[in-house]
């Protein structure tokens, strides 16, 4: 048995990355030139379809297709992957005239795709081809052809799909993101499809975590500090929001403010004398991750949540930690 030599592994990896990067650079150049018009048309077809996005492909293209379908679905565009072989044995019934097909084949001549191609033409299902050969069987039967540059595979034998699948994946991501932006899909929408794990936690909004109602530590500008200190102690957020007669948040008193004004006159002072004006605030719609970043940057531990200038909640750094927001 031949002994393997691993000393050149890193150099091999660097060559692979260089070649795949070159493939992506060629896709970018194409999008700035002849590929721009068909790409725009493809996004229009995806946007206009009243049904689902059906992605299909064979072999490595099929694996890439499954990821592309998952990306469409996770960004609010109903999509799923149909295997061409299964399609020939009944799964064509899953595809309707309201759907749009995204078919991946580097050569465009994959025999297993013939049933789907014939079905799409018979029932007028819009078909977007992602291939390197516009004049292939796939390209000739497509409504839109995204012809990718024929870049060299990173495989030294030019056989294993490497650069080509990276380019296919990038093209799928480009379609999904362009469609996401065209549909006005927001981070809040994204959260609906990603409720679990650290991603779900990072997509929570401040309104999901905030304390409301009687839990809010609030006082008027004329409140004496002996009363204010009692309110701060009872609410246990380490701060006190100061609201005017109209209910607008005009200031905040923190533990730091108390230390700066510590002295014999503190108790007799009013909250207006001690408060810091124009405190940092959040809205209920702000992403929890963004709010936590702001708190870390300004070194504060609690944040009032306001709507039209009026406090509707408060969040403490511990609330973010409990929710898994990091």
């Amino acid at each position: 048995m031949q002994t393997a030599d691993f000393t050149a592994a890193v150099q091999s990896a660097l060559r692979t990355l260089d070649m795949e990067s070159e493939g992506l650079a060629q896709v970018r150049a194409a999008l700035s030139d002849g590929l721009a018009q068909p790409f725009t048309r493809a996004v229009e077809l995806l946007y206009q379809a009243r049904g689902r996005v059906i992605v299909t492909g064979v072999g490595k293209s099929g694996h890439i297709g499954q990821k592309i379908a998952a990306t469409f679905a996770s960004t609010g565009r109903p999509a799923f992957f149909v295997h061409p072989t299964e399609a020939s044995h009944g799964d064509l019934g899953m595809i309707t005239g309201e759907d749009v097909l995204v078919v991946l084949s580097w050569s465009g001549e994959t025999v297993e795709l013939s049933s789907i191609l014939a079905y799409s033409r018979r029932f007028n299902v819009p078909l977007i081809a992602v291939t390197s050969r516009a004049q292939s069987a796939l390209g000739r039967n497509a409504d839109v052809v995204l012809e990718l540059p024929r870049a060299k595979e990173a495989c030294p034998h030019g056989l294993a799909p490497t650069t080509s699948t990276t380019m296919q994946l990038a093209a799928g991501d480009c379609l999904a993101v362009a469609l996401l932006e065209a549909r006005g899909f927001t981070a809040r929408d994204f959260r609906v499809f990603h409720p679990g794990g650290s991603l779900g936690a990072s997509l929570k909004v401040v309104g999901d975590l905030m304390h409301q109602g009687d839990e809010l530590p609030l006082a008027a500008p004329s409140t004496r500090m002996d009363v204010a200190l009692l309110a701060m102690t009872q609410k246990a957020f380490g701060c006190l929001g100061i609201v005017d007669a109209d209910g607008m948040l005009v200031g905040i008193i923190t533990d730091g403010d108390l230390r700066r004004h510590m002295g014999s006159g503190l108790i007799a002072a009013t909250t207006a004398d001690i408060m810091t004006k124009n405190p940092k605030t959040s809205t209920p719609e702000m992403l929890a991750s963004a709010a936590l970043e702001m708190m870390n940057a300004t070194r504060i531990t609690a944040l009032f949540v306001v709507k039209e200038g009026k406090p509707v909640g408060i969040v403490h750094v511990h609330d973010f930690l409990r929710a898994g927001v990091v």
Side-chain angles (χ1 to χ4, degrees):
M1 181 177 178
Q2 184 178 356
T3 302
D5 180 10
F6 300 107
T7 58
V10 172
Q11 291 304 313
S12 173
L14 292 173
R15 284 194 301 272
T16 297
L17 291 173
D18 286 342
M19 295 189 74
E20 294 192 352
S21 296
E22 175 59 28
L24 293 177
Q26 291 183 40
V27 175
R28 191 184 192 286
L31 276 168
S32 301
D33 191 13
L35 194 57
Q37 185 174 354
F39 181 84
T40 301
R41 179 59 185 146
V43 175
E44 289 176 353
L45 280 178
L46 292 166
Y47 183 88
Q48 293 165 358
R50 291 179 291 177
R52 293 80 42 88
V53 178
I54 312 299
V55 187
T56 189
V58 178
K60 303 301 183 293
S61 293
H63 293 305
I64 295 298
Q66 291 181 55
K67 188 275 176 187
I68 292 173
T71 300
F72 277 123
S74 73
T75 52
R77 189 66 176 87
F80 60 86
F81 178 82
V82 173
H83 195 283
T85 302
E86 298 298 334
S88 300
H89 294 273
D91 282 2
L92 284 172
M94 301 168 69
I95 306 171
T96 74
E98 294 188 336
D99 299 330
V100 58
L101 278 159
V102 176
V103 183
L104 289 81
S105 171
W106 192 247
S107 69
E109 299 291 350
T110 307
V111 175
E112 293 90 339
L113 293 172
S114 57
S115 295
I116 284 184
L117 297 184
Y119 184 88
S120 71
R121 300 305 85 186
R122 180 182 177 187
F123 293 101
N124 296 316
V125 182
L127 192 155
I128 300 167
V130 183
T131 180
S132 68
R133 299 179 184 274
Q135 295 307 311
S136 62
L138 172 59
R140 292 194 304 272
N141 283 280
D143 295 288
V144 177
V145 180
L146 299 183
E147 186 176 18
L148 301 179
R150 298 177 197 174
K152 292 179 62 176
E153 301 288 8
C155 166
H157 310 298
L159 299 175
T162 45
T163 306
S164 58
T165 48
T166 299
M167 294 164 70
Q168 287 177 325
L169 181 60
D173 286 345
C174 289
L175 288 171
V177 173
L179 180 63
L180 175 158
E181 293 176 343
R183 294 176 57 242
F185 193 79
T186 67
R188 195 176 183 89
D189 297 321
F190 197 81
R191 173 176 166 248
V192 174
F193 302 101
H194 300 78
S198 59
L199 181 57
S202 69
L203 291 170
K204 288 182 182 295
V205 293
V206 173
D208 296 326
L209 310 179
M210 69 183 188
H211 303 265
Q212 305 177 63
D214 292 339
E215 293 185 81
L216 270 65
L218 300 174
S222 59
T223 304
R224 278 173 52 99
M225 282 305 299
D226 54 350
V227 177
L229 286 169
L230 181 60
M232 286 181 67
T233 303
Q234 290 175 336
K235 301 299 183 180
F237 286 102
C239 67
L240 185 68
I242 311 304
V243 292
D244 63 16
D246 296 320
M248 306 293 287
L249 185 69
V250 295
I252 189 172
I253 296 176
T254 65
D255 290 335
D257 293 315
L258 295 179
R259 287 192 295 272
R260 283 188 290 273
H261 290 84
M262 189 64 67
S264 58
L266 175 63
I267 298 301
T270 66
T271 53
D273 299 324
I274 306 300
M275 72 179 187
T276 297
K277 297 180 180 179
N278 302 315
K280 295 287 184 183
T281 61
S282 165
T283 63
E285 296 78 20
M286 179 182 258
L287 282 175
S289 56
L292 180 59
E293 183 179 350
M294 178 173 67
M295 292 172 70
N296 287 333
T298 54
R299 298 183 179 181
I300 58 177
T301 58
L303 188 68
F304 275 98
V305 186
V306 299
K307 234 181 201 183
E308 298 179 351
K310 297 181 179 180
V312 295
I314 188 171
V315 284
H316 192 275
V317 66
H318 292 161
D319 298 318
F320 296 98
L321 298 176
R322 279 192 290 268
V325 180
V326 294

